[in-house]
C-alpha cells in the first residue's frame, strides 16, 4: 500500500506523466537525505528544486488545463500522485507547488484570455504562482478585505483602470511568484458587486515584499501594494463571481492536503518501523511488546484508510458536473478527516520511537512538526466539520440514483473544476445510498459492527435530533459532525477496497479502529453540557467493542513488520 521510491513505477499513467513522476523521485534520491535535512534545518529556500521543476517542465505539464494548451491537462489523479511524492520528501516542496495551484485557480476560472495566456507562458518558463487572499486582520474572511482598488480613469483601450492599495498576509511564494492572484474590493462600489480578483506581479516596483511570516524553509509572505496599477487586462473577476472564484479555488486546492499528509506519514513510517524492529530493550525486541505492535499496527491501518479514502475521493472529483456535486462533501472530508488522521499516525509511531523522534538527522522529527500544519491550512478542522453538516440529512436519509463511478485514471482534463459556478446550494446535493457499500462487506465482523453504530446515528437524528438551541451550540454540533464523518469515511474506504481488492484482514482492522473511534466520539457527546438525557443514553448505548481476532491481528502485523528495512533514503 505504501509509496516506496525503490520500487516505484507509476504504470497507471501515460508516458509523459510516468517520466516526470519518476524523474522527481530520482532527483530527490540522488540529492540525498543529508541535503534534504540540512536545507530544512537551515531554512534554505528550495531554489534547486524549483530549478529542477522548471527544467523538466513539471508544473507546466501538470497545472496547465487543455483550454490554455491543448497538449496539456489538469488531471486530479496525477496531481494527487505528485502531492504524495512531494509530501514524502518534505512539506516545503509540496507547499510551493500547492500555492501555485491556488494562485492558478482564479486564472483558469477567468474568461480573461490575456491573463490566461500570461499564466501559461509563465508556467512554461518555470515560474511559480501565489494566491493573495488572506489578510493579517481578517485571515481568510473574504467578506472583510482591506485591499482597496480605486478607479484611476480609462486606459488607452477605453476600459476602467485602478490603483490597488493594501496588504496580504500568509501568502506562499509571495517572494518570487510570477503571478499573484489578489482579492480586493472597489472603493466606489458597496457590497458583493465591489469584489475584484486581479493579477499582480511580485517583480513590479509597486509590489513590496515585507517579510517571511514563518520560521521555515518555505516563504509565507506578507506583501504590500502601494498604488499598484491594475489594468483591464489584469482583472480576473468582478462582483459576485470574484467571491465564487475564491471559494471554488479553495475547493480545488484544499483537496491536495490529504495526499501530502499521506506522503509525510509514509516516509516517517519506514523510519519508525525500521528503528523499532531493530532495537532491543530489557533483553527483548521492541516490536515484541504487545503495546508497540498495537500502536504500529494501528498507525499502518490508519494510513491505509487515509490512502483508500483519498484515492476514491479523486474519482468523485474527476466525475463532478453540475448534476453531480458529491465531491463537495468528500472534499472537506479529505481536508478535515485525512489530515487529522495523519496527526494520529505520527503520534502513534512517536509513542513507540520516543526520543528517536527528536533527532535532527531523521526525517521523522520534520514530519512530527510539519504534519501539524495540514489540518490548519485552507480552513480549520472546525470550519470543515461545520461544512459537512450541511450534507448530513440528504446523505443519510435521501439517497438518489447515480451511475456507478469507476476508478478515474484516464488521461483527461478535469474541466469542471474551473467551471464550478456559484458556491451555493450545498444542502440540496444528493448522494447515492451509503448503505450499499456497507452491505457488500457485511461479512466482515467489524464492518457489521460499525454498521450498527451508523444505523444508530440515524436513529439518534430521527428520534432525538438536535434542538434549535443545540444547533446554535457549535461545540455540541461538531461532535455530531465527527460521528457523521466516520460514516462517510467508511463508505469511501469500502468502495476503494472493493475496486483494489484490498486484503480482508486489513480492511476489517480499519473498521476495528472506526468502531473504537465512533465509541470515543459517542462518549464525548455523552459528556457535553447541552446533551439531553435521551441523547446521553443513546451515546452510551452505541459504545461498542470491536470484534477481536488474534489471528487477523497477527496477519496484519506481518504486513507492518515487512516495512522494516524496506526503504531508507539515499545518504
Amino acid at each position: 500500500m505504501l509509496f516506496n521510491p525503490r520500487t516505484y513505477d507509476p504504470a497507471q499513467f501515460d508516458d509523459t506523466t510516468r517520466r516526470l513522476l519518476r524523474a522527481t523521485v530520482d532527483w530527490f534520491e540522488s540529492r540525498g537525505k543529508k541535503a534534504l535535512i540540512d536545507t530544512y534545518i537551515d531554512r534554505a529556500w528550495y531554489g534547486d528544486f524549483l530549478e529542477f521543476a522548471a527544467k523538466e517542465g513539471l508544473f507546466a505539464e501538470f497545472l496547465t488545463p487543455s483550454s490554455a494548451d491543448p497538449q496539456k491537462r489538469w488531471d486530479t489523479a496525477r496531481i494527487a500522485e505528485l502531492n504524495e511524492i512531494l509530501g514524502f520528501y518534505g512539506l516545503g516542496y509540496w507547499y510551493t507547488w500547492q500555492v501555485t495551484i491556488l494562485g492558478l485557480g482564479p486564472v483558469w476560472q477567468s474568461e480573461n484570455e490575456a491573463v490566461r495566456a500570461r499564466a501559461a507562458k509563465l508556467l512554461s518558463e518555470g515560474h511559480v504562482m501565489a494566491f493573495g487572499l488572506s489578510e493579517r486582520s481578517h485571515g481568510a474572511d473574504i467578506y472583510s478585505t482591506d485591499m482597496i482598488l480605486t478607479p484611476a480613469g480609462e486606459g488607452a483601450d477605453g476600459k476602467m483602470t485602478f490603483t490597488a492599495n493594501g496588504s496580504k498576509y500568509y501568502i506562499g511564494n509571495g517572494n518570487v511568484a510570477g503571478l499573484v492572484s489578489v482579492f480586493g474590493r472597489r472603493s466606489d462600489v458597496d457590497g458583493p458587486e465591489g469584489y475584484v480578483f486581479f493579477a499582480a506581479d511580485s517583480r513590479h516596483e509597486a509590489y513590496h515584499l515585507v517579510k517571511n511570516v514563518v520560521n521555515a524553509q518555505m516563504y509565507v509572505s506578507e506583501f504590500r501594494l502601494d498604488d499598484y496599477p491594475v489594468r483591464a487586462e489584469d482583472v480576473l473577476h468582478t462582483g459576485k463571481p470574484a467571491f465564487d472564484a475564491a471559494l471554488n479555488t479553495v475547493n480545488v486546492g484544499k483537496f491536495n492536503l490529504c495526499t501530502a499528509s499521506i506522503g509525510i506519514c509514509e516516509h516517517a513510517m519506514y523510519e519508525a518501523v525500521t528503528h523499532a524492529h531493530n532495537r532491543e530493550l530489557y533483553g527483548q525486541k521492541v516490536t515484541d511488546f504487545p503495546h508497540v505492535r498495537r500502536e504500529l499496527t494501528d498507525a499502518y491501518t490508519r494510513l491505509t484508510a487515509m490512502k483508500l479514502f483519498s484515492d476514491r475521493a479523486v474519482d468523485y472529483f474527476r466525475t463532478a458536473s453540475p448534476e453531480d456535486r458529491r465531491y463537495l462533501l468528500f472534499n472537506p472530508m479529505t481536508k478535515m478527516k485525512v489530515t487529522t488522521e495523519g496527526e494520529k499516525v505520527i503520534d502513534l509511531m512517536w509513542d513507540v520511537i520516543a526520543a528517536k523522534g527528536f533527532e535532527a538527522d531523521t526525517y521523522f522529527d520534520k514530519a512530527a512538526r510539519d504534519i501539524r500544519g495540514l489540518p490548519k491550512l485552507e480552513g480549520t478542522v472546525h470550519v470543515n466539520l461545520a461544512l459537512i453538516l450541511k450534507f448530513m440529512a440528504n446523505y443519510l436519509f435521501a439517497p438518489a440514483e447515480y451511475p456507478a463511478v469507476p476508478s478515474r485514471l484516464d488521461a483527461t482534463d478535469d474541466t469542471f473544476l474551473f467551471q464550478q459556478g456559484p458556491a451555493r446550494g450545498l444542502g440540496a446535493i444528493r448522494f447515492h445510498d451509503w448503505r450499499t457499500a456497507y452491505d457488500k462487506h457485511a461479512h466482515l465482523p467489524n464492518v457489521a459492527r460499525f454498521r450498527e453504530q451508523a444505523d444508530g446515528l440515524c436513529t439518534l437524528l430521527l428520534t432525538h435530533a438536535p434542538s434549535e438551541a443545540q444547533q446554535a451550540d457549535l461545540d455540541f454540533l461538531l461532535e455530531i459532525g465527527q460521528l457523521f464523518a466516520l460514516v462517510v469515511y467508511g463508505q469511501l474506504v469500502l468502495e476503494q477496497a472493493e475496486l483494489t481488492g484490498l486484503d480482508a484482514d486489513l480492511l476489517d482492522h480499519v473498521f476495528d479502529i472506526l468502531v473504537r473511534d465512533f465509541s470515543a466520539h459517542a462518549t464525548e457527546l455523552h459528556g457535553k453540557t447541552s446533551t439531553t438525557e435521551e441523547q446521553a443514553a443513546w451515546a452510551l448505548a452505541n459504545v461498542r467493542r470491536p470484534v477481536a481476532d488474534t489471528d487477523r491481528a497477527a496477519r496484519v502485523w506481518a504486513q507492518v513488520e515487512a516495512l522494516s528495512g524496506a526503504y531508507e533514503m539515499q545518504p
Side-chain angles (χ1 to χ4, degrees):
M1 285 294 296
L2 304 193
F3 165 68
N4 186 339
R6 290 183 181 176
T7 58
Y8 182 61
D9 177 16
Q12 68 272 34
F13 295 113
D14 61 273
D15 290 344
T16 298
T17 302
R18 284 200 302 272
R19 182 187 67 77
L20 286 170
L21 292 172
R22 188 64 244 184
T24 302
V25 173
D26 292 342
W27 183 83
F28 279 108
E29 290 294 325
S30 62
R31 182 171 176 254
K33 185 175 183 179
K34 186 177 188 304
L36 190 82
I37 288 172
D38 288 349
T39 53
Y40 184 100
I41 293 172
D42 295 339
R43 303 189 303 278
W45 175 249
Y46 26 73
D48 54 350
F49 169 66
L50 294 179
E51 288 176 10
F52 157 77
K55 178 183 176 183
E56 295 290 342
L58 180 64
F59 289 14
E61 176 64 33
F62 278 46
L63 300 182
T64 307
S66 60
S67 58
D69 183 340
Q71 301 304 312
K72 297 182 173 67
R73 70 184 190 274
W74 188 287
D75 177 339
T76 304
R78 65 179 186 172
I79 287 172
E81 191 84 1
L82 187 55
N83 287 332
E84 186 175 343
I85 291 170
L86 296 179
F88 188 91
Y89 290 107
L91 186 66
Y93 305 99
W94 168 84
Y95 182 75
T96 192
W97 147 267
Q98 160 71 355
V99 290
T100 296
I101 288 173
L102 291 169
L104 289 167
V107 176
W108 299 143
Q109 292 176 70
S110 176
E111 296 180 359
N112 184 331
E113 291 299 332
V115 180
R116 289 167 59 87
R118 190 194 320 169
K121 184 173 185 295
L122 287 167
L123 280 172
S124 69
E125 294 170 351
H127 290 272
V128 294
M129 313 299 169
F131 186 52
L133 183 66
S134 297
E135 298 177 12
R136 186 168 192 172
S137 299
H138 309 298
D141 175 9
I142 58 180
Y143 295 98
S144 305
T145 178
D146 291 327
M147 177 65 70
I148 306 300
L149 284 81
T150 304
E154 294 182 354
D157 56 2
K159 296 180 179 179
M160 179 68 73
T161 64
F162 303 90
T163 56
N165 288 276
S167 63
K168 293 290 181 178
Y169 207 73
Y170 305 120
I171 311 304
N173 290 350
N175 56 326
V176 297
L179 185 152
V180 186
S181 296
V182 182
F183 185 82
R185 59 184 174 89
R186 291 179 56 163
S187 63
D188 59 330
V189 179
D190 294 330
E193 292 307 312
Y195 294 136
V196 180
F197 239 128
F198 63 97
D201 186 338
S202 69
R203 298 163 293 183
H204 194 281
E205 61 184 10
Y207 180 107
H208 302 284
L209 186 65
V210 178
K211 63 180 179 179
N212 187 356
V213 304
V214 301
N215 181 26
Q217 187 176 9
M218 63 191 71
Y219 203 103
V220 186
S221 68
E222 177 184 6
F223 72 80
R224 186 180 72 253
L225 301 184
D226 290 332
D227 291 332
Y228 188 99
V230 180
R231 306 160 298 172
E233 59 261 39
D234 298 322
V235 175
L236 297 166
H237 305 274
T238 60
K240 184 64 166 57
F243 181 89
D244 292 334
L247 295 184
N248 291 336
T249 294
V250 172
N251 279 339
V252 172
K254 71 182 178 183
F255 181 79
N256 299 316
L257 278 72
C258 66
T259 35
S261 180
I262 289 166
I264 292 171
C265 290
E266 287 172 320
H267 197 155
M269 181 161 283
Y270 286 118
E271 275 195 348
V273 174
T274 299
H275 172 75
H277 197 57
N278 290 278
R279 185 172 174 81
E280 289 192 2
L281 289 176
Y282 313 111
Q284 186 175 352
K285 182 175 285 192
V286 167
T287 49
D288 286 342
F289 288 104
H291 69 288
V292 168
R293 287 196 174 191
R294 178 188 59 78
E295 288 185 306
L296 290 179
T297 299
D298 278 5
Y300 175 72
T301 305
R302 286 186 185 274
L303 179 52
T304 297
M306 290 164 65
K307 295 198 72 165
L308 291 167
F309 183 90
S310 301
D311 286 350
R312 186 57 175 153
V314 167
D315 301 333
Y316 288 99
F317 232 70
R318 304 198 70 196
T319 305
S321 70
E323 296 74 39
D324 183 354
R325 301 170 73 205
R326 288 174 287 178
Y327 76 101
L328 288 173
L329 167 59
F330 304 137
N331 189 26
M333 280 288 301
T334 60
K335 161 63 186 73
M336 176 275 298
K337 182 64 178 171
V338 176
T339 61
T340 54
E341 285 294 293
E343 288 190 281
K344 292 176 184 176
V345 169
I346 294 295
D347 287 343
L348 285 164
M349 294 188 294
W350 206 350
D351 281 348
V352 172
I353 67 171
K356 184 70 176 179
F358 291 97
E359 293 183 10
D361 61 353
T362 65
Y363 176 87
F364 194 97
D365 101 298
K366 289 83 182 158
R369 183 180 299 112
D370 290 342
I371 199 72
R372 312 296 167 194
L374 291 167
K376 300 165 185 65
L377 296 172
E378 323 306 349
T380 64
V381 170
H382 300 136
V383 167
N384 283 279
L385 258 179
L387 177 60
I388 71 169
L389 285 167
K390 296 177 183 290
F391 304 98
M392 185 166 65
N394 273 353
Y395 177 92
L396 291 175
F397 301 114
E401 292 292 328
Y402 286 95
V405 173
S407 294
R408 290 296 309 275
L409 295 171
D410 44 302
T412 53
D413 199 24
D414 297 338
T415 56
F416 176 73
L417 296 183
F418 302 113
Q419 301 168 5
Q420 294 179 58
R424 59 174 182 263
L426 302 186
I429 296 172
R430 304 281 293 279
F431 299 86
H432 59 301
D433 195 337
W434 58 274
R435 298 169 185 83
T436 303
Y438 285 90
D439 289 343
K440 288 181 178 179
H441 296 85
H443 60 284
L444 295 176
N446 284 301
V447 174
R449 186 145 296 181
F450 182 77
R451 171 65 185 275
E452 295 172 12
Q453 293 174 306
D455 288 338
L457 176 62
C458 295
T459 301
L460 171 69
L461 296 173
L462 290 172
T463 58
H464 304 295
S467 65
E468 188 173 339
Q470 286 175 324
Q471 291 181 46
D473 179 356
L474 197 56
D475 185 49
F476 172 88
L477 213 54
L478 290 178
E479 210 57 59
I480 298 290
Q482 292 282 12
L483 295 169
F484 171 54
L486 288 170
V487 180
V488 181
Y489 197 62
Q491 179 201 340
L492 263 62
V493 164
L494 289 170
E495 290 184 3
Q496 187 66 8
E498 182 178 9
L499 289 169
T500 58
L502 183 74
D503 171 69
D505 290 328
L506 186 53
L507 182 58
D508 196 50
H509 196 72
V510 168
F511 280 84
D512 177 302
I513 290 173
L514 293 187
V515 168
R516 285 183 266 147
D517 287 352
F518 193 100
S519 297
H521 287 298
T523 304
E524 284 291 321
L525 184 68
H526 178 271
K528 296 294 180 186
T529 303
S530 59
T531 300
T532 67
E533 289 299 322
E534 293 81 6
Q535 290 165 341
W538 173 90
L540 292 183
N542 281 273
V543 171
R544 295 282 191 279
R545 292 182 64 192
V547 180
D549 184 336
T550 54
D551 291 338
R552 181 203 71 211
R555 291 191 294 270
V556 175
W557 166 249
Q559 297 181 39
V560 182
E561 191 176 29
L563 298 177
S564 176
Y567 168 75
E568 183 175 355
M569 191 173 180
Q570 295 294 326

